[in-house]
Structures are given as C-alpha cells and as structure tokens.
Amino acid sequence: SQTIHQWPATLVQPVGSPLSLECTVEGTSNPNLYWYRQAAGRGLQLLFYSVGIGQISSEVPQNLSASRPQDRQFILSSKKLLLSDSGFYLCAWRGLLNNNEQFFGPGTRLTVL
Amino acid sequence: QKEVEQDPGPLSVPEGAIVSLNCTYSNSAFQYFMWYRQYSRKGPELLMYTYSSGNKEDGRFTAQVDKSSKYISLFIRDSQPSDSATYLCAIWAGGFKTIFGAGTRLFVKA
C-alpha cells in the first residue's frame, strides 16, 4: 500500500530564516506530487505541483520554491521566511492509476515569528 | 463568485443525528466530486468520490450530486462523536487542478 510522509511535523522559525520541508511517498512510482498551504477557514491553496523529476509548476508567485530531486521526493523551500508564510503545509500525491483523487500527508505546521 | 462555496459552520449535532454537509459550485462543466475528512492537526483523508450526478453510498456516508442545481452533499447517518472533524468538498477542475471548499467543522456531541 502507498504511504506518504512529511517532516517535520511542526516547525517554529524566525522571520528571515530559511525553510526546507520534505515529503516522500512509498509504494508507488511516478506519482504526481503537490504542495498545498491551508489557512484557517480558507481551504487549500495549491502552491506547486510536479509530474516528474525536476518538473515543477508554480501556481502562486511568492518567496517559496519547490524541487523534486527524486521520483518520490518533493521538497518545499524558502530562502527567507515571511510572517505570512505561517500555516499548515500539506503534501499530496496522485497515482497514474487513480482517477482524480489526491492523497494527503500528515502535514507540517509552520509558525514564523 | 467563488468556484466552490462551503459553509464553514461550526455545525453541532447530538449523537445519532443525520448530518447534511453541502457545497455549491459555479462551473456546470465540473463532473468529478470528492469529500475529504480532516481531523484536527492532521492531513485530509479521502472519504468518497462521485462522478456526474446521483448518489453513492458507503456505510453511514452518502454522497449526492445535483448537477442541475450545482449542489453537492454529504450525508452522515447515525453520527458518532468520532465523526467530529472538518469536512472538505473538492472538485476536479481538469488537468492538475482540484478546487477545495473551505471546510465545514462538525461537532457530534455524546
């Protein structure tokens, strides 16, 4: 069966510091991978998606970036965090054999102070 | 107008009640609809998906799509305290895009 991991689970960072969140998927090959940010009462905002190694599409211009160095690894980064980057970050995958459902990881709660 | 609208609640019901959760959407071309359940501080988990119109049942859960009204519903029968969570509707908008509702917080009181 497929599983998706995210770490860290929680993170408190000062403004201006760098960020690296990691997501890995097990049990599937060549998944589509997604990064979302969830703010209270505002649903899920798609940040990035990837259809393969090194292929990243950005949905929202901001100071975040994403990379996919391996088939089942997706990384969200920032060089300098802003207060507005605080939120709950979710990684999701969609398999080639799935319909249109996405499956989410446990999330990382980021607080920027 | 937002593509998907969902009442954020909170919705509080007694144990055993029938719960109705709803979303409206704006684009009549949408065909693929999903419901996710999210417990506090956890990632969303897929509950059900439906294609086009009609009903789909899974245990105590029933998903319903009314394309003429652009209205989707999730019904929970015999609700339990363990059903207390946020429920998000989601609509596949084509390609890699899925649109999520803001979520409805549900509390089931024992």
Side-chain angles (χ1 to χ4, degrees):
Chain A
S1 64
Q2 300 87 5
T3 56
I4 179 168
H5 305 278
Q6 284 187 248
W7 63 89
T10 59
L11 192 59
V12 180
Q13 291 284 92
V15 169
S17 64
L19 174 74
S20 181
L21 303 181
E22 189 164 343
C23 170
T24 59
V25 182
E26 296 177 358
T28 187
S29 296
N30 197 26
N32 294 331
L33 296 173
Y34 304 81
W35 277 112
Y36 289 90
R37 178 167 57 206
Q38 186 176 33
R42 297 181 61 184
L44 298 174
Q45 179 188 32
L46 178 63
L47 302 175
F48 301 94
Y49 67 88
S50 171
V51 300
I53 296 173
Q55 300 178 68
I56 309 294
S57 296
S58 174
E59 289 292 301
V60 182
Q62 56 203 329
N63 69 322
L64 298 173
S65 62
S67 62
R68 185 168 176 175
Q70 299 181 43
D71 180 45
R72 288 169 287 180
Q73 184 185 30
F74 205 21
I75 297 171
L76 183 69
S77 304
S78 174
K79 292 182 179 178
K80 287 187 177 182
L81 285 168
L82 306 173
L83 285 174
S84 58
D85 291 323
S86 294
F88 193 46
Y89 288 82
L90 289 157
C91 180
W93 71 275
R94 188 182 95 177
L96 297 179
L97 297 180
N98 296 116
N99 292 315
N100 299 302
E101 309 93 76
Q102 295 178 24
F103 301 93
F104 287 86
T108 294
R109 185 158 301 279
L110 172 66
T111 303
V112 182
L113 301 175
Chain B
Q1 183 184 8
K2 287 185 181 178
E3 291 182 289
V4 177
E5 304 232 30
Q6 184 174 12
D7 187 337
L11 179 62
S12 184
V13 301
E15 183 176 359
I18 296 174
V19 176
S20 173
L21 303 165
N22 310 293
C23 288
T24 58
Y25 61 94
S26 58
N27 190 334
S28 57
F30 291 155
Q31 297 246 52
Y32 203 94
F33 307 94
M34 294 159 276
W35 284 95
Y36 287 82
R37 178 176 61 196
Q38 185 176 22
Y39 291 113
S40 180
R41 298 182 175 271
K42 303 291 184 183
E45 57 177 319
L46 180 69
L47 270 180
M48 300 181 70
Y49 61 89
T50 54
Y51 181 74
S52 195
S53 286
N55 292 0
K56 184 174 182 179
E57 189 174 319
D58 184 2
R60 296 185 295 112
F61 298 88
T62 299
Q64 186 176 81
V65 176
D66 182 348
K67 292 199 72 183
S68 62
S69 303
K70 290 183 280 187
Y71 197 81
I72 58 175
S73 302
L74 178 71
F75 298 96
I76 307 174
R77 292 184 299 281
D78 187 26
S79 56
Q80 303 295 309
S82 58
D83 295 327
S84 298
T86 297
Y87 290 81
L88 299 97
C89 61
I91 302 175
W92 180 60
F96 299 97
K97 185 176 180 182
T98 297
I99 306 166
F100 290 86
T104 300
R105 293 185 66 191
L106 171 67
F107 296 95
V108 181
K109 299 170 292 185

